[in-house]
Amino acid sequence: MDLWKKNKSFIFKIIFLAIFNALALWSVIVGIVTEGWILVSITVLVMILINYIYISDKVYPLRYIIPGTFFMILLVVYPIFYTIYISTTNYGTGNMLDKDQVINQLEGRTFLPEDTRTYNFTVFKSEDDEFKLLFEDPETGDLLLGDTIDYSVEEISDTDDRLIDSTDDGDIDEINGYTRLEQPEVIQNLGRLEALRIDYRDNELRMKDLNSFALYRQRYEYISEEDKIIDLRDGYEFTPVRGHFYNEEVGRLSPGFRTFVGSRNYQRLLRDPRILQPFFRVFVWTFAWAILSVGTTFALGLLLALILDDKKLKFRKFYRTILIIPYAMPAFISVLIWRGLFNPEVGVINRILDSLPFLSALPFMHNVFWTRAALVFINLWLGFPYMLLITLGALQSIDKNLYEAAIIDGASIWQKFRYITLPLLLITVAPLLIASFAFNFNNFNIIYLFNEGRPAIAGAQTPAGGTDILISYTYRLSFETGRGADFGLASAVTLIIFMITATITWFNFRFTGALEEVKENE
């Protein structure tokens, strides 16, 4: 037991290093197999560094810094730089693959020449579920024997010993233990047969129809020295242009590939009116949404806190408990409930409005103004308990002697609030209001769960909605565009959001003096 206590930390260190080195070596092997030399180099370097730090006592303090640094790089630094990288590419639907993958895809395409040879075929199947195919040229009678184990084909004669006609009816019944399949069984295995590709004399032998195979030829060939694709069927040449192999007469080949486009995504964002106008509307509404969210929730929370701070009020604990309930419920459930209540056709709210004189149902989901009003109301419901809690706590910290002095001086209720309560309250809650502003600036859940950022902005080239804020707009750019995802443009928008949020955070630090305390301790 004493030996275990003395060497416990050493044993844990050895176990940690063993697991880490095993994972690192596995990554190195994968990197070597896939020729990812950068990954291999970084992994080896990190592995040597980690082992040195945790074995040598010369760098003992680094053992406490490395874990935090590692996760900071993995979860903060890497996503930032990767987003910057994506924003300078054309990464999106149609340009998902890298150039080598696209070339491999194009070179794998074939066509059926007019002078091609076709073969009748017979399928034989083993107990191990492997196939042999006997091909026969209907014009010459030449035989070929194909194999699905090594995807090879060989020329044979009709007197080959492996061909066994056990029923003496002129048809081959067995080949080396492979049993002939009848037509219904061939149809059952049609999927595997259609996917079969066998190289033969620089061509590709593949299924043409239910009764024959044919020789297909390669359609495209990549010339690496000239960086171009040759169409072997029609003779066109395609050169890489903005992520696609392009020919002026034919157009571009699909799919395209990821490539560096510099600042093009930012230029699209700032110069294309079909993108800029909806983006500007979303941008303005994002600020308005954040301001309204903080302003309304703070105003209602403060009002209720002032009422509940009155010691003469009866059942104060009961009221506090009731008012905090919205804060205790999961926000996404509350939003979905309110979505049902605001439903323009079957929602309770519109049914109540319809039943009242001089009022009628409102288009909460289809009109931008009323949808935004509903969102502000729902956020007020969700957010005022938080403001109630923080302002109630802040109110109780204000010195009551100040109010007694104000009463002696003849101050009214408004003057006490204006010159004592509000200034002292803001000292405490202002940083929290700034943090709340930053939170609502990126409050994706309520926007998307209520109406998915809709109704749509008419004429917008991008999927921008009247209630979209920047974060939901970015999400829809990534996953909901009619032409597919546009990760490059979405990353550009993301970086703009990042810069705005970073600016707000900087003001928050500046206002609270957090960074000044760090400087003082240096």
Side-chain angles (χ1 to χ4, degrees):
M1 182 62 75
D2 291 340
L3 184 64
W4 161 253
K5 287 183 179 178
K6 289 180 180 177
N7 297 286
K8 184 170 62 176
S9 59
F10 176 76
I11 294 172
F12 277 123
K13 183 171 68 176
I14 294 300
I15 294 174
F16 164 74
L17 288 177
I19 296 173
F20 175 78
N21 288 335
L23 293 173
L25 288 173
W26 174 77
S27 301
V28 169
I29 294 171
V30 172
I32 292 174
V33 172
T34 58
E35 298 183 355
W37 304 117
I38 296 178
L39 172 66
V40 172
S41 303
I42 293 175
T43 304
V44 171
L45 184 63
V46 171
M47 185 171 64
I48 294 172
L49 184 64
I50 293 295
N51 279 276
Y52 175 70
I53 289 173
Y54 281 94
I55 291 175
S56 173
D57 291 333
K58 295 180 181 177
V59 288
Y60 192 87
L62 290 179
R63 298 179 187 181
Y64 300 95
I65 298 174
I66 285 297
T69 305
F70 171 75
F71 284 108
M72 185 188 73
I73 294 173
L74 181 67
L75 303 177
V76 178
V77 177
Y78 173 73
I80 291 174
F81 280 94
Y82 188 70
T83 304
I84 294 173
Y85 161 70
I86 294 296
S87 71
T88 59
T89 69
N90 61 346
Y91 187 34
T93 300
N95 297 89
M96 291 286 190
L97 306 176
D98 61 35
K99 191 175 179 181
D100 290 337
Q101 291 172 320
V102 169
I103 291 172
N104 287 334
Q105 277 205 8
L106 293 175
E107 287 190 323
R109 293 181 183 177
T110 57
F111 70 100
L112 190 62
E114 294 180 358
D115 58 345
T116 189
R117 298 176 66 179
T118 58
Y119 297 88
N120 298 328
F121 70 96
T122 307
V123 184
F124 299 84
K125 189 175 184 181
S126 71
E127 294 180 354
D128 297 333
D129 204 28
E130 295 293 341
F131 292 137
K132 282 189 182 296
L133 291 96
L134 183 63
F135 302 103
E136 181 181 4
D137 189 327
E139 298 179 0
T140 64
D142 294 340
L143 294 179
L144 300 175
L145 182 61
D147 197 319
T148 59
I149 294 179
D150 55 3
Y151 294 94
S152 63
V153 63
E154 60 177 313
E155 298 175 1
I156 62 174
S157 67
D158 55 2
T159 59
D160 193 299
D161 295 338
R162 291 171 292 180
L163 306 181
I164 300 174
D165 181 6
S166 57
T167 56
D168 292 328
D169 58 357
D171 294 328
I172 305 302
D173 300 307
E174 185 180 338
I175 301 177
N176 270 6
Y178 288 68
T179 307
R180 174 176 177 159
L181 298 184
E182 300 300 329
Q183 191 71 0
E185 295 172 305
V186 172
I187 293 175
Q188 289 176 1
N189 294 277
L190 194 59
R192 291 182 61 187
L193 294 173
E194 286 179 333
L196 193 60
R197 305 285 187 272
I198 300 176
D199 292 334
Y200 179 60
R201 292 184 178 178
D202 297 330
N203 292 309
E204 191 173 81
L205 189 60
R206 53 186 285 197
M207 195 171 189
K208 179 185 177 186
D209 52 45
L210 194 57
N211 299 311
S212 64
F213 271 62
L215 288 176
Y216 287 74
R217 291 179 186 167
Q218 182 181 346
R219 173 74 184 275
Y220 299 104
E221 182 181 8
Y222 178 66
I223 309 298
S224 58
E225 294 80 8
E226 302 177 27
D227 193 19
K228 65 182 181 182
I229 291 280
I230 303 294
D231 186 342
L232 299 176
R233 187 186 68 177
D234 302 321
Y236 294 110
E237 294 184 359
F238 297 83
T239 53
V241 178
R242 293 184 177 181
H244 285 85
F245 285 102
Y246 178 77
N247 178 279
E248 289 186 357
E249 296 181 40
V250 183
R252 63 189 188 183
L253 297 175
S254 294
F257 52 87
R258 292 196 304 273
T259 188
F260 179 74
V261 297
S263 61
R264 194 174 75 183
N265 288 319
Y266 297 94
Q267 291 176 10
R268 288 174 59 198
L269 193 61
L270 299 176
R271 293 180 179 177
D272 190 336
R274 294 170 299 178
I275 298 177
L276 178 61
Q277 291 178 3
F279 173 79
F280 184 72
R281 289 182 61 173
V282 171
F283 186 80
V284 171
W285 164 241
T286 302
F287 272 94
W289 158 255
I291 293 170
L292 285 170
S293 297
V294 176
T296 54
T297 54
F298 177 67
L300 182 59
L302 176 59
L303 175 63
L304 294 173
L306 290 171
I307 296 172
L308 293 175
D309 194 47
D310 187 351
K311 295 181 179 178
K312 297 177 183 178
L313 181 67
K314 294 182 179 180
F315 309 114
R316 286 198 305 164
K317 293 184 179 178
F318 172 75
Y319 295 140
R320 288 179 183 177
T321 304
I322 293 296
L323 292 171
I324 290 173
I325 286 179
Y327 194 51
M329 293 179 63
F332 73 93
I333 293 178
S334 298
V335 175
L336 293 177
I337 291 173
W338 279 108
R339 175 177 176 163
L341 295 175
F342 276 109
N343 188 290
E345 285 80 26
V346 297
V348 174
I349 294 176
N350 264 350
R351 291 170 64 183
I352 293 174
L353 290 175
D354 260 340
S355 65
L356 297 175
F358 309 112
L359 292 176
S360 60
L362 297 173
F364 287 115
M365 296 291 185
H366 309 305
N367 179 275
V368 173
F369 174 81
W370 288 112
T371 308
R372 288 178 175 178
L375 280 168
V376 172
F377 178 82
I378 295 170
N379 193 66
L380 177 61
W381 162 266
L382 293 172
F384 84 85
Y386 170 72
M387 294 297 181
L388 169 63
L389 289 174
I390 62 173
T391 50
L392 197 57
L395 284 174
Q396 293 175 358
S397 66
I398 297 176
D399 189 353
K400 304 303 178 187
N401 292 328
L402 295 175
Y403 294 109
E404 292 177 3
I407 292 172
I408 293 172
D409 290 341
S412 64
I413 295 176
W414 168 249
Q415 287 173 324
K416 286 190 291 182
F417 174 78
R418 171 68 179 82
Y419 296 106
I420 298 176
T421 303
L422 190 59
L424 294 177
L425 192 67
L426 287 178
I427 293 175
T428 305
V429 303
L432 299 175
L433 295 181
I434 296 173
S436 179
F437 181 88
F439 171 79
N440 283 290
F441 198 85
N442 291 318
N443 195 344
F444 174 84
N445 289 345
I446 184 171
I447 297 293
Y448 198 78
L449 289 176
F450 183 66
N451 201 24
E452 299 176 350
R454 293 171 173 82
I457 296 176
Q461 189 188 38
T462 54
T467 59
D468 261 324
I469 58 176
L470 286 172
I471 190 69
S472 63
Y473 178 56
T474 304
Y475 174 83
R476 296 179 65 192
L477 270 178
S478 301
F479 301 106
E480 292 188 3
T481 58
R483 298 172 302 170
D486 192 343
F487 297 124
L489 183 61
S491 296
V493 177
T494 300
L495 285 176
I496 291 176
I497 298 174
F498 170 74
M499 287 187 283
I500 294 171
T501 308
T503 304
I504 295 171
T505 304
W506 181 82
F507 273 110
N508 194 7
F509 284 144
R510 181 85 176 174
F511 191 85
T512 58
L515 295 179
E516 293 177 4
E517 292 179 3
V518 173
K519 291 179 180 178
E520 289 173 0
N521 293 328
E522 289 179 348

